[in-house]
Amino acid sequence: MLLTPKIESFVMHCGEMGSRWGFNRTIGQIMGLLLMSEEPLSAVSLSETLNISRGNVSMAIKELQSWHLVSVIHKPGDRKDYYAPAGDIWELANRVFEERRKREMDPTLSLLRASIIDEPANAEEAYAQEKMSELHDLLETITVWASELQSMSPDKLTTLMKLGSGVVKVLDFKDKVLKSGNSN
């Protein structure tokens, strides 16, 4: 694949962002390059285009496959594996959210549930359990909310995001109305 300056800039940025989102730089660059390529790319092509070792490409592809973000494509008469994004942008984002929930939120919620179920041994533990319970409730609410968002179609999700600031204004207005009603 030909890396034009615009595509190269995007791919390099994906590498930087990947490292901030819990992936390494190479994984971010490979995902960015696959997103920008109209055709599936082989490991050799990825290696040559990004100037990284085949071993590094192989490890990155395995990680992307574990996140269900890339698909393996076979071309008739060609023994090489080719790789492409495993869906559109919305599907990929949903998979990342789902995998992060499984890898990060679920274990934390399990730990918190186990920690708050027992009776506290002393005042320090009672206070700690209270805070753990608050954190559990917050994470549980976020998990349920995220699950509901994931079940929405991209069109509905886009509409909801565009409504975001309007919803905040409605909630602020509701609070003002309720305050003025309570002061009477």
Side-chain angles (χ1 to χ4, degrees), residues 34-61:
L34 291 174
L35 285 168
M36 295 297 103
S37 178
E38 224 175 317
E39 295 296 319
L41 299 172
S42 69
V44 170
S45 179
L46 290 166
S47 175
E48 290 172 355
T49 303
L50 296 173
N51 196 26
I52 53 179
S53 73
R54 281 269 290 114
N56 208 355
V57 169
S58 179
M59 289 187 323
I61 290 294

Side-chain angles (χ1 to χ4, degrees), residues 50-144:
L50 296 173
N51 196 26
I52 53 179
S53 73
R54 281 269 290 114
N56 208 355
V57 169
S58 179
M59 289 187 323
I61 290 294
K62 284 181 183 168
E63 182 69 10
L64 287 167
Q65 286 175 317
S66 79
W67 284 74
H68 309 286
L69 297 175
V70 296
S71 296
V72 179
I73 297 177
H74 296 102
K75 294 183 178 183
D78 191 340
R79 292 177 43 193
K80 287 186 264 182
D81 288 338
Y82 290 82
Y83 304 96
D88 64 25
I89 296 296
W90 288 103
E91 291 168 323
L92 296 173
N94 267 334
R95 283 197 193 101
V96 169
F97 292 141
E98 182 62 21
E99 286 299 317
R100 291 200 73 161
R101 182 193 58 78
K102 285 182 200 171
R103 296 169 190 226
E104 297 167 22
M105 297 288 264
D106 289 354
T108 303
L109 282 167
S110 293
L111 173 91
L112 290 169
R113 281 186 202 107
S115 296
I116 61 179
I117 203 165
D118 296 327
E119 285 296 317
N122 54 42
E124 288 82 12
E125 279 191 7
Y127 178 81
Q129 274 187 315
E130 183 182 319
K131 294 303 170 191
M132 285 185 233
S133 182
E134 289 174 16
L135 181 56
H136 172 272
D137 293 349
L138 172 66
L139 294 178
E140 188 71 39
T141 300
I142 290 170
T143 300
V144 169

Side-chain angles (χ1 to χ4, degrees), residues 15-27:
E16 293 301 316
M17 293 311 297
S19 65
R20 292 183 178 110
W21 293 341
F23 300 107
N24 70 37
R25 183 179 313 235
T26 301
I27 291 170

